[in-house]
Amino acid sequence: MASVLSVAFLLVVLAAHTLVAAVLTRYFRIALDTRGGAAVFTATAIPIVLLASTYLFSGLLSLGPELGSPAVVLTLLVAVPVGIGALVDVLYVPPPETVDLPESWE
Protein backbone atom coordinates (compact mmCIF):
# COMPACT_ATOMS: atom_id res chain seq x y z
CA MET A 1 0.00 0.00 0.00
CA ALA A 2 1.35 3.38 -0.97
CA SER A 3 1.59 6.12 1.59
CA VAL A 4 -0.12 9.45 1.15
CA LEU A 5 3.24 11.18 0.74
CA SER A 6 4.37 8.85 -2.04
CA VAL A 7 1.08 9.27 -3.92
CA ALA A 8 1.35 13.05 -3.52
CA PHE A 9 4.90 12.92 -4.89
CA LEU A 10 3.67 10.84 -7.83
CA LEU A 11 1.02 13.47 -8.61
CA VAL A 12 3.60 16.26 -8.37
CA VAL A 13 5.93 14.43 -10.77
CA LEU A 14 3.01 13.79 -13.13
CA ALA A 15 2.10 17.50 -13.12
CA ALA A 16 5.74 18.55 -13.57
CA HIS A 17 6.19 16.13 -16.46
CA THR A 18 3.05 17.49 -18.11
CA LEU A 19 4.36 21.06 -17.75
CA VAL A 20 7.76 20.09 -19.18
CA ALA A 21 6.08 18.32 -22.11
CA ALA A 22 3.90 21.36 -22.87
CA VAL A 23 6.84 23.79 -22.70
CA LEU A 24 9.08 21.60 -24.85
CA THR A 25 6.30 21.11 -27.39
CA ARG A 26 5.91 24.89 -27.61
CA TYR A 27 9.67 25.30 -27.95
CA PHE A 28 9.86 22.78 -30.79
CA ARG A 29 6.94 24.44 -32.56
CA ILE A 30 8.66 27.84 -32.31
CA ALA A 31 12.23 26.75 -33.04
CA LEU A 32 11.53 24.42 -35.97
CA ASP A 33 10.09 25.83 -39.18
CA THR A 34 8.55 22.58 -40.36
CA ARG A 35 5.39 21.04 -38.95
CA GLY A 36 6.78 17.51 -39.26
CA GLY A 37 10.01 18.36 -37.45
CA ALA A 38 8.20 19.57 -34.36
CA ALA A 39 6.09 16.40 -34.33
CA VAL A 40 9.17 14.17 -34.62
CA PHE A 41 10.98 15.97 -31.82
CA THR A 42 7.84 15.94 -29.66
CA ALA A 43 7.49 12.19 -30.14
CA THR A 44 11.18 11.39 -29.55
CA ALA A 45 13.00 14.04 -27.52
CA ILE A 46 10.37 14.73 -24.87
CA PRO A 47 10.01 11.07 -23.84
CA ILE A 48 13.79 10.85 -23.46
CA VAL A 49 13.78 13.86 -21.12
CA LEU A 50 10.86 12.46 -19.13
CA LEU A 51 12.50 9.01 -18.92
CA ALA A 52 15.64 10.62 -17.52
CA SER A 53 13.60 12.52 -14.95
CA THR A 54 11.66 9.39 -14.00
CA TYR A 55 14.87 7.43 -13.63
CA LEU A 56 16.35 10.18 -11.44
CA PHE A 57 13.41 10.44 -9.08
CA SER A 58 12.16 6.89 -8.84
CA GLY A 59 15.35 4.99 -9.64
CA LEU A 60 18.26 6.81 -8.08
CA LEU A 61 16.40 8.66 -5.32
CA SER A 62 13.80 5.91 -4.70
CA LEU A 63 10.95 8.38 -4.34
CA GLY A 64 7.30 7.68 -5.12
CA PRO A 65 5.14 4.59 -4.79
CA GLU A 66 5.90 1.15 -6.17
CA LEU A 67 3.76 0.95 -9.33
CA GLY A 68 4.29 -2.73 -10.00
CA SER A 69 5.56 -2.89 -13.57
CA PRO A 70 7.73 -0.82 -15.90
CA ALA A 71 4.82 -0.56 -18.36
CA VAL A 72 2.70 1.26 -15.78
CA VAL A 73 5.56 3.64 -15.00
CA LEU A 74 6.20 4.31 -18.68
CA THR A 75 2.52 4.93 -19.35
CA LEU A 76 1.80 7.04 -16.28
CA LEU A 77 4.96 9.14 -16.12
CA VAL A 78 5.95 9.41 -19.79
CA ALA A 79 3.15 8.69 -22.28
CA VAL A 80 0.32 10.45 -20.44
CA PRO A 81 2.29 13.69 -19.79
CA VAL A 82 3.54 13.81 -23.39
CA GLY A 83 -0.01 13.40 -24.68
CA ILE A 84 -1.55 15.92 -22.33
CA GLY A 85 1.30 18.42 -22.74
CA ALA A 86 1.15 18.31 -26.54
CA LEU A 87 -2.65 18.50 -26.43
CA VAL A 88 -2.58 21.59 -24.20
CA ASP A 89 -0.03 23.32 -26.42
CA VAL A 90 -1.74 22.50 -29.71
CA LEU A 91 -5.35 23.09 -28.66
CA TYR A 92 -5.28 25.75 -25.97
CA VAL A 93 -2.27 27.95 -26.72
CA PRO A 94 -2.33 30.21 -29.80
CA PRO A 95 -0.14 29.04 -32.70
CA PRO A 96 3.32 30.62 -32.78
CA GLU A 97 2.54 32.25 -36.13
CA THR A 98 -0.31 34.35 -34.68
CA VAL A 99 1.61 35.80 -31.72
CA ASP A 100 2.87 39.34 -32.36
CA LEU A 101 6.37 39.99 -31.08
CA PRO A 102 7.97 43.40 -30.61
CA GLU A 103 10.52 44.44 -33.22
CA SER A 104 13.16 45.40 -30.63
CA TRP A 105 13.82 44.81 -26.95
CA GLU A 106 14.45 48.44 -25.99
Side-chain angles (χ1 to χ4, degrees):
M1 172 111 178
S3 69
V4 174
L5 187 60
S6 64
V7 171
F9 181 75
L10 178 69
L11 293 175
V12 167
V13 170
L14 182 65
H17 278 188
T18 303
L19 178 66
V20 167
V23 169
L24 286 177
T25 301
R26 171 54 62 163
Y27 173 74
F28 292 142
R29 288 180 68 197
I30 291 171
L32 301 173
D33 290 333
T34 63
R35 182 175 290 216
V40 168
F41 273 94
T42 298
T44 57
I46 295 173
I48 291 171
V49 170
L50 297 184
L51 276 172
S53 172
T54 300
Y55 178 69
L56 174 70
F57 288 121
S58 59
L60 293 178
L61 300 178
S62 298
L63 298 172
E66 179 65 37
L67 296 177
S69 80
V72 173
V73 173
L74 183 66
T75 301
L76 190 62
L77 293 178
V78 177
V80 170
V82 168
I84 294 173
L87 183 75
V88 165
D89 180 60
V90 171
L91 293 180
Y92 296 110
V93 179
E97 302 85 32
T98 62
V99 176
D100 294 329
L101 297 175
E103 300 225 359
S104 66
W105 290 89
E106 298 177 332

